[in-house]
Structure formats: C-alpha cells, structure tokens
C-alpha cells in the first residue's frame, strides 16, 4: 500500500510539473526571443557564439565575431532557442483589428504579411498619400480623399481603352460593379516598358474574388497582347520591377513618345 501511495503521489507530482512547465512557456518574456544584435524577433535557424549569445539568421552572415564577447560566431545552431520558437505562438499582430488567429512568434509569418484579411493596405496614390487601412476601408478613403479621373471607371468583362503617360507610372481604376481598386503600372526599362495590372487586396482565402485580365498595345498595325489567368493581389504599390515577369512588355521600337495607348479587359474568374 505504501508503494502504491508513493507511486500515486509521484504520478501527480509529474503531472503537476508538466502543467507548471506548460504554463511557464506561455509566460515567457518575448524579449528573450529577440536577436541580441538587431533586437528583432528571432526565426529559425538561429546561431550562437561559444558563449551562447544568439544572433538571428539575418545578422549572422554579417558577423565574424560576437559583438558582445568577441568570440567567433561560427555555424553553431542554438537548438534550445529554436525549440522555444517552434512551440511559442502569439496572437496575429492584426488582432486589434479583429483577427483571432495565432501565429508562430517571429517576423516570417506569411499570414500576417499577406494572408490575413485584416492586413493593412496602402493607398495607391503613394506620391501624395501615406494612408494605410483595412481592405474594406481603403475604397472609402480613396473616394473621399482623392480626385477621381474621368476615365478611371470600368465594367467587368468589357474592354476599355487605357491611356497613360509612362512617367505617371500608375493609373488607378475603380469598378462600377463592386467596391474594388485596381492599378495599372508602368515600369521603365532601358529596352522598353513593362505593364502590370494588379488588384489591391490581401491574399486572404476569405476574400474569394479572383480576376483575370487581357491587355494589348498596338503600333503601326502590329498588336502585342498579354493574358493573365489570375491577377496578382497586392497590399501596396511598389515601383520596383516585379521579379516575376508575367507582364506585358512593350519594346522601345513599338513606343510612340511617352504615352501608352492600350486596350484592357478585366474579368471575374
């Protein structure tokens, strides 16, 4: 009976320790999961010097010695920190905006950056406006804060002429059917101009709208056309040429001055 009693107490003590350990993990100081160099959240892999000072995967390639103790950084992975990172989750940074999902602690969460429907979108008029807001609020901001161009409206499935100056870089389009913003962008290259059409919205699965487009440019009787079966969604406009070259390209030989005359049709997929 005595052995049974001790065994029972040992089992209860073991379960208690597990509960305490689990509870302590939820109370971890998030500062302990920051890089000691840049003070940004750590992500896997993490590296350490011989004294155990941790550097993130972004700082580590730039270091030869630990800036805290001058010992070599080397290629030692810090498995203890990596294990903590794998276990630790925090509310999405958009929780104050209504998101209820939890994400792994760190700065590499694609949910927060792209797939959260509460991710902030930037006003496409970035030269004159620094507004950022929810996908649902962006159109109201645009309609109340910016002058609409006479030719900015279009209807899904109907072709329309688009005329824009290459140096303007961007033309904002609004649909008459739904409350959505689309952008036509020009990216100047030495040999010509890339043209992209994007939909301003997060990649959230809850936003089910998908669109395709067809765009063409004619010069001296020759027409260049480009079709995209699924339009790219963007959180904000960038004037850097996209890495993916699924864009229409108009070479300098087919340009007449600095104005592009194009035909565009945006359709619901």
């Amino acid at each position: 009976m005595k052995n049974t009693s001790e065994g029972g107490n040992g089992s209860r003590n073991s379960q208690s320790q597990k509960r305490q350990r689990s509870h302590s993990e939820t109370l971890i100081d998030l500062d302990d999961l920051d890089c000691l160099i840049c003070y940004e959240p750590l992500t896997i892999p993490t590296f350490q010097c011989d004294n155990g000072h941790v550097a993130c995967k972004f700082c580590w390639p730039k270091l030869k010695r630990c800036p805290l103790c001058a010992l070599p950084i080397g290629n030692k992975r810090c498995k203890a920190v990596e294990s903590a990172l794998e276990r630790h989750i925090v509310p999405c940074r958009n929780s104050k905006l209504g998101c209820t999902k939890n994400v792994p602690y760190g700065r590499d969460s694609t949910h927060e950056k792209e797939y959260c429907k509460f991710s902030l979108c930037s006003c496409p008029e970035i030269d004159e406006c620094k507004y950022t807001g929810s996908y649902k609020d962006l159109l109201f901001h645009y309609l109340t804060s910016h002058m609409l161009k006479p030719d900015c409206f279009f209807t899904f499935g109907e072709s329309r002429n688009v005329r824009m100056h290459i140096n303007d870089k961007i033309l904002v389009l609004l649909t008459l059917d739904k409350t959505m913003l689309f952008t036509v962008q020009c990216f100047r290259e030495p040999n010509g101009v890339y043209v992209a059409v994007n939909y301003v919205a997060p990649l959230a699965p809850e936003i089910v709208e998908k669109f395709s487009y067809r765009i063409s440019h004619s010069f001296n009787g020759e027409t260049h056309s480009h079709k995209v079966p699924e339009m790219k969604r963007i959180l904000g406009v960038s004037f850097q040429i996209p890495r993916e070259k699924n864009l229409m390209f108009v070479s300098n030989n087919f340009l007449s001055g600095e104005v592009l005359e194009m035909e565009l049709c945006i359709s619901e997929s």
Side-chain angles (χ1 to χ4, degrees):
M1 294 296 292
K2 181 177 180 180
N3 290 338
T4 303
S5 175
E6 289 177 349
N9 290 334
S11 176
R12 285 195 296 271
N13 290 337
S14 176
Q15 292 175 359
S16 176
Q17 290 173 357
K18 288 182 180 179
R19 285 196 298 270
Q20 291 174 2
R21 183 164 58 249
S22 175
H23 181 63
S24 67
E25 288 170 1
T26 64
L27 297 179
I28 189 171
D29 188 343
L30 294 184
D31 288 343
D32 293 337
L33 298 180
D34 285 348
C35 174
L36 296 176
I37 312 302
C38 65
Y39 304 107
E40 293 289 337
L42 291 165
T43 55
I44 298 172
T46 61
F47 299 88
Q48 65 179 359
C49 73
D50 291 344
N51 263 342
H53 298 131
V54 179
C56 71
K57 64 181 180 182
F58 300 99
C59 292
W60 168 76
K62 307 172 187 177
L63 301 172
K64 293 183 179 180
R65 291 185 175 274
C66 175
L68 299 179
C69 67
L71 289 177
I73 289 291
N75 292 316
K76 293 181 179 179
R77 298 271 292 273
C78 187
K79 295 297 184 180
V81 170
E82 290 182 2
S83 178
L85 291 172
E86 288 177 344
R87 294 195 310 268
H88 199 72
I89 60 172
V90 294
C92 171
R93 70 181 64 182
N94 298 322
S95 59
K96 293 182 179 179
L97 301 174
C99 183
T100 59
K101 293 186 177 181
N102 292 324
V103 297
Y105 180 75
R107 60 181 170 196
D108 279 357
S109 170
T110 55
H111 166 78
E112 291 181 334
K113 289 182 177 179
E114 299 175 342
Y115 288 93
C116 178
K117 69 176 181 179
F118 297 96
S119 294
L120 298 181
C121 297
S122 299
C123 178
E125 301 288 354
I126 60 175
D127 284 340
E128 58 184 83
C129 183
K130 302 302 180 184
Y131 173 86
T132 58
S134 69
Y135 163 70
K136 293 183 178 179
D137 295 336
L138 184 62
L139 184 73
F140 177 78
H141 157 79
Y142 193 85
L143 293 175
T144 56
S145 302
H146 300 285
M147 292 184 61
L148 301 181
K149 298 178 177 65
D151 59 348
C152 69
F153 294 102
F154 75 95
T155 302
F156 288 121
E158 295 184 6
S159 297
R160 54 153 296 169
N161 293 325
V162 174
R163 187 177 189 274
M164 64 181 298
H165 200 284
I166 295 173
N167 289 335
D168 289 342
K169 297 183 181 180
I170 187 169
L171 173 67
V172 179
L173 300 177
L174 291 82
T175 172
L176 293 172
D177 302 15
K178 297 181 180 181
T179 54
M180 299 172 181
L181 286 175
F182 296 82
T183 61
V184 183
Q185 287 185 258
C186 292
F187 301 93
R188 169 68 84 177
E189 284 275 88
N191 297 324
V193 177
Y194 283 102
V195 181
V197 183
N198 295 313
Y199 167 33
V200 183
L203 292 174
E206 296 90 338
I207 302 175
V208 296
E209 295 95 343
K210 293 183 180 180
F211 306 98
S212 61
Y213 72 88
R214 182 184 71 253
I215 191 168
S216 60
H217 173 267
S218 298
F219 180 77
N220 285 345
E222 186 169 348
T223 300
H224 296 266
S225 297
H226 185 72
K227 296 181 180 179
V228 175
E230 184 174 339
M231 184 184 299
K232 183 180 178 181
R233 302 185 211 173
I234 59 174
L235 295 177
V237 170
S238 170
F239 292 131
Q240 293 184 348
I241 298 176
R243 293 181 180 178
E244 68 278 7
K245 291 299 191 295
N246 188 20
L247 314 171
M248 182 175 75
F249 180 74
V250 181
S251 69
N252 290 332
N253 296 331
F254 294 93
L255 291 175
S256 178
E258 293 297 309
V259 176
L260 278 175
E261 299 274 357
M262 300 171 288
E263 185 176 284
L264 172 66
C265 179
I266 299 176
S267 301
E268 296 179 274
S269 299

